[in-house]
Amino acid sequence: MQHLLIYAPAFPEMLLAVAAMLLLMLGAFSEDNDHNGAFIGWLSIAFMIGAATIIALQPPATQTLFNGSFVVDQFSRFLKLLILGGTAVAMLLSFDFLRQKGLMKFEYPILMLLACVGMLMMVSANDLIALYLGVELQSLALYVLAAMNRDNVRSSEAGLKYFVLGALSSGMLLYGASLIYGFTGSTSFLEIANVAQAAPPSENIGLIFGLVFLLVGLAFKISAVPFHMWTPDVYQGAPTPVTAFCAAAPKMAALGLLLRVLGGAFPGLEQQWQQIIWFISIASMLLGAFAAIGQNNIKRLMAYSSIGHIGFALVGLAAGTTEGAQGVLVYLLIYLVMTLGTFACILAMQRGDEMIEDIDQLAGLAQNNLLLAFTLAMLMFSLAGIPPLAGFWAKVYVFWPAVQAGLYPLAVIGVIASVIGAYYYLRIVKIMFFVEPQEKFVPVSANLAIVMGAALIFIFAFAIPQLVGPIVAAAVAAGFTSDQVGQFFRDEMVPSRFMGSRQWLRRLFLLRSFRGGRFETKLRRYLHHLEFSQLALPLAITTVDMITGRERIRRSGDVVKAVLQSINHPVFGSPIIDGDEMLVDGGVLINVPASVLRDEGCDYVVSIDVGGSLSDDFGKGKDGTLKRPSYFSTLLRTLDLGRQHCSDLHRDESDLILFPKTGAFKIEDFHAVDELIEIGREAGERYAAGVQQLIKQAEMNSA
């Protein structure tokens, strides 16, 4: 049993692989093939739910298997959940269609299970061999699925074309992998990265050639231009549920693999692979925008739409930043939901036994089936990127990192392509709502209605989750770096329109932010709904109850909620009511909470006192003469005096106190964030020797 637990990171893949083999035996020895197909399909969904549960229960730490060739981390877990969800929903969409067409064979869900195993392998691949195994396992299953309807000429043609072109791309991928192995001597992404970073690009020409061929193979899998030629024919010819599956889950896996390969194996060749990504991103966006305009088959239109959306997703990857990669993941989540919802609507387009694929036959759908027309219209709006629907935020998540990285042309082209692409989405809406109606469609089945309803709720409900000491402490405990914290203040606390503005304007901004709940929106964007128990480091946050006059220490619950209580400035904000407590800034009583750390059992305490000195220019005008201060200035000065006194009382609790030279700055001087960060850095360097001495002393005592 102990030996088996070694392979715990791969339990989801092992579960699905074993399930596929068992279900294959069940189907092979069963006589009632059609009935068994549906039964095996439901069992497959159950196994996928089981695999998703295992993934959700896995520890957050990074785990590796097979000498590092298989890796499980937060990145792979997220994508695996998307893949499993997309596959399960695609299978749910299949049942009614396959039953009507007489295609409910037991092989269908088993092939989807095997494809799913390959996709899970792809996003965990940390080695060229593991990469190839995952890609081929997925691809072979998809080839057969595309040609599932053997009696249909278009389906057979789609499967054959997919197989031939897929084999060509696999050959290029394998050739690229062999070149990379030849020039690095290893198939491991880590070893390849070491070689790529050890020498300048001019000395890695062979490695760059291998990378180009590898990208060609992966670009085919995501149907990026110019390797998209299979997509329109396969989307149109394959059975509609298969098209829905191909448009959803495999895209998640292939893009996830692309992110891992470029970020994990070629960090030293960013300039080289970014150029390739820029080109295929721009080409995909423009082709997807223009080529779809003349399409009248909705499945073929969705093929070109998927090409365009791949281009949009690649904008985030082209940025070459962590934020860009995160944007790609958000985009994939939103795209998955929009695509599955749209194909649920397409499967609902049926008159009698005939599936309707012609866009013109959607004429007047709003008068015959308003709910279906409304759902499809909202999904079209979301795919077009019209705010405030989820599709708009998806594009914001990938365009903004590109802008931050200076890729203005790429972002501009993306916006233009979005505007052009909106035409063919809006054309569908116009036909449904403003053209004379035709014959009614058959009633929507329960399975399709569930998927459509869930997608509709998602695109409407999706939202972007949007001070000083507690914020920094919480961010560091969550794993943010000091540079990220500084960036937070630059991006969120220092709007450009307030830079260098008058003092009263900055105070008005603070007043509005405190009382208008803006701080919570901004903090949620970074910390989301993080709990104290999820932090990498222990954290305690102080606040003061105005009713009892005593400090309150927060050690559990929602981090953002605790931070908001602790930064609730009594001049700018209103007391926060939490149960029977009325809470304000903890600095009112205990501005340097060293005693809290003593109570936590710390042997040595290092404190930072940013309020240790008072500015000597209070009440002075520009000419240096004393003038009557304003009401606000008097309140703030009074509070500063009280805080300084409280700080003096608690200083003895600290073994070492850092005093950054902040006396010349006021609370509203947030426009000077870069200067303040530099002062803090200088103070840290100035007191570094004292901190090191405390560490040595602690080590000696423990020894």
Side-chain angles (χ1 to χ4, degrees), residues 247-533:
K251 294 287 195 321
M252 309 295 109
L255 268 171
L257 178 59
L258 188 61
L259 283 167
R260 188 176 293 281
V261 168
L262 295 179
F266 300 97
L269 300 175
E270 290 95 345
Q271 292 186 345
Q272 283 66 38
W273 61 255
Q274 279 180 329
Q275 296 177 42
I276 301 173
I277 300 299
W278 295 345
F279 170 74
I280 64 176
S281 175
I282 292 171
S284 298
M285 288 189 294
L286 293 178
L287 182 94
F290 286 103
I293 292 176
Q295 304 302 322
N296 205 45
N297 183 286
I298 194 168
K299 289 169 64 178
R300 200 171 185 88
L301 182 145
M302 288 300 297
Y304 286 109
S305 170
S306 74
I307 294 170
H309 280 281
I310 287 297
F312 293 133
L314 290 175
V315 170
L317 178 57
T321 62
T322 302
E323 292 76 15
Q326 293 169 345
V328 174
L329 295 180
V330 175
Y331 198 100
L332 290 177
L333 168 62
I334 297 173
Y335 174 74
L336 176 70
V337 176
M338 294 189 299
T339 300
L340 291 172
T342 302
F343 274 98
C345 294
I346 294 173
L347 285 164
M349 296 160 47
Q350 183 178 351
R351 292 192 180 104
D353 293 332
E354 181 186 4
M355 300 298 300
I356 304 301
E357 298 179 5
D358 195 329
I359 295 174
D360 290 334
Q361 295 194 46
L362 291 171
L365 179 61
Q367 299 181 41
N368 294 329
N369 192 331
L370 180 59
L371 187 58
L372 175 59
F374 175 77
T375 303
L376 184 56
M378 292 301 104
L379 287 166
M380 293 295 104
F381 285 144
S382 186
L383 285 166
I386 295 175
L389 301 177
F392 168 77
W393 298 112
K395 291 177 181 177
V396 169
Y397 264 107
V398 292
F399 287 166
W400 184 243
V403 171
Q404 289 181 312
L407 304 180
Y408 301 109
L410 192 60
V412 170
I413 293 172
V415 173
I416 294 172
S418 295
V419 174
I420 297 170
Y423 168 79
Y424 55 81
Y425 294 121
L426 297 178
R427 173 174 167 253
I428 296 175
V429 178
K430 177 252 186 184
I431 290 174
M432 291 192 298
F433 283 85
F434 302 105
V435 178
E436 287 297 319
Q438 297 188 12
E439 185 182 347
K440 292 183 178 180
F441 291 151
V442 300
V444 179
S445 68
N447 292 348
L448 299 181
I450 291 171
V451 177
M452 290 161 54
L456 188 64
I457 292 171
F458 179 87
I459 63 172
F460 276 107
F462 186 88
I464 300 178
Q466 308 243 135
L467 191 267
V468 178
I471 294 176
V472 172
V476 171
F480 290 107
T481 66
S482 59
D483 290 336
Q484 289 173 306
V485 175
Q487 196 62 44
F488 168 79
F489 283 97
R490 293 187 193 94
D491 294 345
E492 305 292 348
M493 295 301 297
V494 194
S496 58
R497 64 185 180 274
F498 286 101
M499 294 287 279
S501 57
R502 293 182 178 274
Q503 186 181 67
W504 68 269
L505 275 178
R506 295 198 296 271
R507 289 179 176 178
L508 182 63
F509 175 74
L510 278 178
L511 190 65
R512 186 183 178 195
S513 297
F514 269 111
R515 294 182 178 270
R518 293 181 174 236
F519 285 155
E520 181 172 6
T521 302
K522 296 173 186 294
L523 285 170
R524 293 285 181 199
R525 181 180 174 186
Y526 284 77
L527 300 176
H528 307 291
H529 292 279
L530 194 69
E531 297 282 328
F532 277 79
S533 58

Side-chain angles (χ1 to χ4, degrees), residues 32-302:
D32 190 354
N33 198 13
D34 291 340
H35 176 74
N36 239 19
F39 178 66
I40 290 175
W42 284 111
L43 283 178
S44 299
I45 292 176
F47 280 118
M48 283 186 278
I49 294 173
T53 303
I54 294 173
I55 293 170
L57 295 176
Q58 286 178 331
T62 300
Q63 300 171 291
T64 60
L65 281 176
F66 313 118
N67 292 323
S69 63
F70 184 92
V71 61
V72 178
D73 51 17
Q74 292 294 70
F75 172 81
S76 66
R77 291 187 191 96
F78 177 81
L79 284 173
K80 286 180 180 181
L81 291 174
L82 291 189
I83 292 166
L84 288 165
T87 306
V89 173
M91 193 172 297
L92 184 66
L93 295 176
S94 305
F95 291 143
D96 294 327
F97 178 91
L98 297 177
R99 192 180 300 110
Q100 292 174 10
K101 301 296 181 182
L103 298 174
M104 183 51 82
K105 310 297 183 183
F106 74 88
E107 295 94 339
Y108 180 85
I110 294 172
L111 286 167
M112 291 187 73
L113 269 182
L114 292 173
C116 190
V117 174
M119 288 184 278
L120 299 185
M121 183 74 183
M122 288 168 65
V123 297
S124 282
N126 201 36
D127 181 277
L128 292 174
I129 297 175
L131 177 155
Y132 188 74
L133 289 173
V135 168
E136 288 306 295
L137 180 56
Q138 172 215 244
S139 299
L140 290 171
L142 290 179
Y143 301 152
V144 180
L145 285 171
M148 194 76 182
N149 190 3
R150 294 175 294 178
D151 298 329
N152 185 289
V153 176
R154 288 195 307 178
S155 179
S156 300
E157 181 186 351
L160 182 61
K161 185 175 291 187
Y162 195 10
F163 170 71
V164 172
L165 294 175
L168 177 63
S169 74
S170 294
M172 290 185 176
L173 189 149
L174 192 58
Y175 182 61
S178 65
L179 282 174
I180 294 169
Y181 173 73
F183 284 98
T184 62
S186 176
T187 59
S188 169
F189 288 175
L190 295 177
E191 294 297 327
I192 295 169
N194 291 335
V195 174
Q197 293 176 307
S202 58
E203 299 179 14
N204 279 323
I205 302 299
L207 186 60
I208 293 172
F209 266 99
L211 173 60
V212 170
F213 279 101
L214 193 69
L215 286 178
V216 168
L218 293 177
F220 176 92
K221 304 302 179 184
I222 61 174
S223 61
V225 177
F227 312 102
H228 68 286
M229 64 290 292
W230 63 273
T231 310
D233 292 334
V234 172
Y235 271 48
Q236 184 178 358
T240 304
V242 176
T243 305
F245 179 52
C246 291
K251 294 287 195 321
M252 309 295 109
L255 268 171
L257 178 59
L258 188 61
L259 283 167
R260 188 176 293 281
V261 168
L262 295 179
F266 300 97
L269 300 175
E270 290 95 345
Q271 292 186 345
Q272 283 66 38
W273 61 255
Q274 279 180 329
Q275 296 177 42
I276 301 173
I277 300 299
W278 295 345
F279 170 74
I280 64 176
S281 175
I282 292 171
S284 298
M285 288 189 294
L286 293 178
L287 182 94
F290 286 103
I293 292 176
Q295 304 302 322
N296 205 45
N297 183 286
I298 194 168
K299 289 169 64 178
R300 200 171 185 88
L301 182 145
M302 288 300 297

Side-chain angles (χ1 to χ4, degrees), residues 646-664:
C646 291
S647 297
D648 292 338
L649 295 176
H650 290 88
R651 278 174 186 159
D652 292 340
E653 299 285 346
S654 303
D655 296 284
L656 179 66
I657 305 179
L658 282 63
F659 292 101
K661 300 176 181 179
T662 59

